[in-house]
Amino acid sequence: MSRFLAKAPSSLLPYTPGEQPQDKQYIKLNTNESPFPPSPKVLGAISQNECKDLRLYSDPDLKSLSKSLAEYYGLETNQVICSNGSDEVLSLAFFAWGTDCGVAFADITYGFYPVFSQFYGIDVKIVPLKEDFSILPQDYYNCGRMVVIANPNAPTGLLLSVDDIEKIALNNPDNVVVVDEAYIDFGGNSALPLINKYKNILVVRTFSKSRQLAGARLGFAMGDKELIADLNRLKFSFNPYNVNRLTAVAGKAAIEDDEWFNETRLKIIDNRNYTTENLRKLGFDVIESSANFVFAKSNKIDGEKLYLSLKEKGILVRHFGLERIKDYVRITIGDKNQMEALISAIKKILQEGSL
């Protein structure tokens, strides 16, 4: 750390993104990207004229995109905010409602939550997951802090019911409950219907997973108009042109192509079922996932060795070194050919290990 970086502690541990290798062609099953291209309507919307307009700033209010999102989800436009990936709106939420009262989240969850907390100097209550990695809602009741729930959770893929989310909100009437639904389109019910009933629930979504726009960086949040106004106040104090023109156009086209959205997400769900079934046939313990990935371990090979062995065979998965989950790997669900290649590679690795 340079002597000029006075405000950033040397102990700050940045978020570690999944590998994005440039030196070799891998089957990438490590960063929960979609194996499918964006909607044909997205590709058609990014025209030469739109590219020429890159000389102009984007609409800071993102009126057209926000209107499409509001109509799609049955909301008013003042209940929606768009962001540069869901990470940006999550960061704004941590700053808005966590700096004064603190924040509570699980010990095993999305790795950016502790980074945001440390970055803003927020007091954190870490809530251990149960032995089976599920969340006990009562652990969050009356905690006097902003509550953040990834649902489905990452990296486990487990889902908390809407009834349990509602109980957490009911038992924290003076604090915001952030429900991070990055993976909700792959299984389970959304907490979105609760935002018209409770003023303290913010639902956060992304276009990165089920709408194939990870590289475009587009997220959004939905909640009571006062929560959205809070976030907009911070956004306009920090980065008013936070979503670029082409991303806004792509997002609008993506949200308006329900046929492509459903076709691709259902294929991923089918491929997830195929992968889960075949991993279990190989003796793996696979947590029941509601996301576009599975979390699995084997008593025949440890998590790090499996990750490294697959990498040698040209397949990337994600391994986390945390003690509670070091035996697991997280496997993004790709297309059918990719998942067949994964199962074949694991069979070979297990055979090699038994020789």
Side-chain angles (χ1 to χ4, degrees):
M1 185 179 74
S2 79
R3 61 186 176 87
F4 303 104
L5 200 59
K7 294 294 184 182
S10 58
S11 60
L12 181 64
L13 298 175
Y15 175 72
T16 303
E19 296 168 85
Q20 296 285 353
Q22 307 296 318
D23 60 329
K24 180 179 176 179
Q25 291 297 313
Y26 288 92
I27 295 176
K28 278 188 86 279
L29 306 177
N30 65 325
T31 48
N32 299 341
E33 297 149 321
S34 175
F36 303 110
S39 154
K41 292 184 179 180
V42 169
L43 302 179
I46 302 176
S47 64
Q48 189 173 28
N49 284 336
E50 292 292 345
C51 291
K52 287 179 180 178
D53 281 345
L54 286 174
R55 64 188 178 82
L56 304 172
Y57 284 114
S58 58
D59 173 14
D61 293 313
L62 296 160
K63 296 183 187 71
S64 182
L65 174 58
S66 297
K67 184 174 183 290
S68 291
L69 283 166
E71 289 176 352
Y72 185 85
Y73 290 106
L75 303 172
E76 300 297 324
T77 54
N78 61 6
Q79 292 179 289
V80 178
I81 182 173
C82 299
S83 59
N84 192 298
S86 60
D87 290 333
E88 182 185 48
V89 78
L90 286 168
S91 176
L92 294 177
F94 271 72
F95 185 79
W97 306 304
T99 48
D100 285 342
C101 62
V103 64
F105 50 79
D107 61 335
I108 305 298
T109 191
Y110 183 34
F112 235 136
Y113 301 160
V115 176
F116 291 144
S117 301
Q118 191 179 15
F119 188 87
Y120 293 121
I122 296 172
D123 183 62
V124 177
K125 178 182 179 182
I126 300 294
V127 183
L129 297 175
K130 292 166 62 179
E131 190 67 26
D132 63 357
F133 296 128
S134 64
I135 288 174
L136 185 65
Q138 293 90 325
D139 287 342
Y140 294 90
Y141 290 0
N142 302 307
C143 67
R145 299 163 178 268
M146 182 178 84
V147 174
V148 185
I149 304 287
N151 199 44
N153 196 14
T156 65
L158 286 173
L159 187 75
L160 194 63
S161 73
V162 175
D163 285 346
D164 284 333
I165 296 288
E166 182 171 14
K167 289 172 185 174
I168 292 172
L170 268 170
N171 285 279
N172 290 282
D174 299 322
N175 295 97
V176 175
V177 176
V178 176
V179 188
D180 183 355
E181 293 188 343
Y183 303 101
I184 197 67
D185 291 328
F186 301 104
N189 295 319
S190 171
L192 186 60
L194 298 177
I195 69 172
N196 285 324
K197 189 175 179 181
Y198 300 95
K199 291 182 177 293
N200 64 329
I201 294 180
L202 185 82
V203 173
V204 178
R205 296 279 189 90
T206 179
F207 280 72
S208 294
K209 316 301 181 183
S210 59
R211 297 192 186 271
Q212 301 90 27
L213 291 178
R217 309 308 304 131
L218 181 59
F220 59 107
M222 299 170 285
D224 182 79
K225 64 181 182 179
E226 292 183 3
L227 295 185
I228 300 303
D230 287 346
L231 295 173
N232 269 315
R233 183 173 290 107
L234 291 178
K235 170 196 154 178
F236 278 89
S237 301
F238 173 68
N239 186 17
Y241 304 108
N242 63 333
V243 175
N244 72 70
R245 297 182 68 92
L246 295 186
T247 290
V249 168
K252 186 175 188 299
I255 205 71
E256 293 173 354
D257 192 350
D258 233 23
E259 183 178 354
W260 184 258
F261 164 71
N262 282 311
E263 179 184 335
T264 52
R265 75 182 184 90
L266 291 174
K267 284 181 180 178
I268 288 172
I269 291 170
D270 285 344
N271 293 342
R272 182 184 70 203
N273 294 338
Y274 163 85
T275 305
T276 298
E277 179 184 349
N278 280 275
L279 286 174
R280 286 174 175 165
K281 286 179 180 177
L282 294 174
F284 276 75
D285 178 11
V286 185
I287 294 176
E288 202 64 39
S289 175
S290 295
N292 68 335
F293 57 83
V294 294
F295 204 48
K297 71 173 182 177
S298 170
N299 59 11
K300 299 174 184 176
I301 185 170
D302 68 47
E304 184 177 20
K305 186 174 181 182
L306 178 58
Y307 152 71
L308 291 172
S309 298
L310 284 169
K311 187 174 182 180
E312 287 179 1
K313 294 184 182 298
I315 300 174
L316 290 179
V317 298
R318 192 82 190 264
H319 177 257
F320 302 90
L322 297 173
E323 184 62 29
R324 283 192 72 183
I325 56 174
K326 61 183 177 62
D327 293 331
Y328 287 82
V329 291
R330 190 194 69 193
I331 303 168
T332 301
I333 301 302
D335 64 29
K336 190 64 174 294
N337 290 336
Q338 290 174 324
M339 305 324 292
E340 288 174 346
L342 169 81
I343 297 300
S344 177
I346 290 177
K347 285 179 180 177
K348 290 178 182 177
I349 290 166
L350 296 179
Q351 289 169 356
E352 292 164 0
S354 64
L355 296 178

